[in-house]
Amino acid sequence: MTVAAVKALGAADVVLYDHLVGDGILDLANLKAERICVGKRSGRHSLPQEEINALIAAQALAGRRVVRLKGGDPMVFGRAGEEIDHLDALGIPVRVVPGITAALGCAASAGLSLTKRGVSRAVTFVTAHGRDGERFEPDWARLADPNGTLAIYMGREQARAVGQGLTGAGLPLDTPVLAVENGCRPDERRSWTTLGAMATEGVAAGKGPTLLLIGEALRERRVGAADAGDALGAGGDLGQWLDGH
């Protein structure tokens, strides 16, 4: 976390937090602050987004200092824009405290560089989930860049579709893939595979949120992990301390 985030939690009258917030983070909040869970998990929402928007606004209009606490960076697939738009329309001032987005945090905890001279010159962030009811149908031809790295957020359930789409668009079957479940938390789990294997078998992950990192920039690290027999492991100390909010 950043110092600014810790200060914001300490000054809050009410904290509206997500399920993805790591253990111990809420302990940094003002002891007198009310804590309200409004988190979402895959397929299960404790509150619809519209109700979360209204709850933030109601608490602020009541004169309370509100912290809307999210895992990772709130501005990367975090629906923060919808909440900000709602508050702006009501004239409620908002300050965003950035955090470490999942792709960068997971890459760091695994010791990976997402770009590499002569191998990967770009990183693309993609979400594997649209709005409720929308189908996952990205432009595979655009995403299948052999000179780039892909970070697929919330990718566990769509892993086969991702593998099939990217290989169908021309990426080699042996392209390295790292699936990171519960990234940057003490219970982080990593699983190495290839694009071809993922297209038929999916990825080895439980029920936690899973990020897929895909591309040639990962190859040397994947070979090293396989040689060490560490194809699936838990995050270390760095992973535990990268709960950005």
Side-chain angles (χ1 to χ4, degrees):
M1 294 184 68
T2 62
V3 173
V6 175
K7 288 181 178 179
L9 278 172
D13 298 312
V14 57
V15 179
L16 282 69
Y17 65 95
D18 284 349
H19 283 299
L20 300 184
V21 172
D23 294 339
I25 300 301
L26 286 174
D27 294 340
L28 300 172
N30 183 340
L31 292 177
K32 297 181 180 179
E34 182 180 1
R35 303 173 187 188
I36 304 172
C37 180
V38 295
K40 309 179 190 70
R41 292 186 185 274
S42 179
R44 292 186 290 122
H45 293 187
S46 59
L47 282 180
Q49 185 62 53
E50 293 75 14
E51 291 187 25
I52 295 174
N53 297 348
L55 181 58
I56 299 171
Q59 294 288 339
L61 292 172
R64 308 180 81 188
R65 184 185 296 270
V66 182
V67 166
R68 174 70 172 98
L69 185 60
K70 297 173 179 281
D73 191 303
M75 307 299 275
V76 181
F77 305 129
R79 298 194 182 185
E82 297 175 42
E83 296 169 358
I84 292 170
D85 289 345
H86 182 77
L87 298 172
D88 279 347
L90 296 172
I92 298 172
V94 178
R95 179 171 68 101
V96 176
V97 179
I100 299 169
T101 190
L104 305 186
C106 291
S109 68
L112 287 167
S113 176
L114 298 181
T115 60
K116 193 172 185 179
R117 285 188 296 175
V119 178
S120 175
R121 60 192 179 194
V123 181
T124 302
F125 294 175
V126 183
T127 176
H129 286 271
R131 297 182 61 134
D132 294 342
E134 287 184 354
R135 297 187 63 182
F136 178 61
E137 294 182 347
D139 184 346
W140 295 117
R142 182 179 64 83
L143 294 177
D145 179 5
N147 299 310
T149 303
L150 286 174
I152 311 288
Y153 285 64
M154 298 168 282
R156 182 187 71 248
E157 294 181 0
Q158 299 289 348
R160 288 185 178 86
V162 170
Q164 293 164 7
L166 291 174
T167 54
L171 279 188
L173 296 175
D174 68 343
T175 302
V177 177
L178 177 62
V180 186
E181 180 184 2
N182 296 323
C184 305
R185 292 167 53 117
D187 56 348
E188 175 180 306
R189 299 175 71 239
R190 306 184 199 122
S191 176
W192 286 99
T193 186
T194 64
L195 207 53
M198 187 171 74
T200 59
E201 303 168 7
V203 292
K207 297 182 179 180
T210 301
L211 178 88
L212 306 177
L213 296 174
I214 304 168
E216 288 298 324
L218 284 62
R219 183 170 296 279
E220 289 185 13
R221 191 68 175 168
R222 189 209 174 205
V223 170
D227 290 344
D230 185 26
L232 182 65
D237 291 341
L238 180 61
Q240 295 184 32
W241 288 105
L242 283 181
D243 276 303
H245 301 84

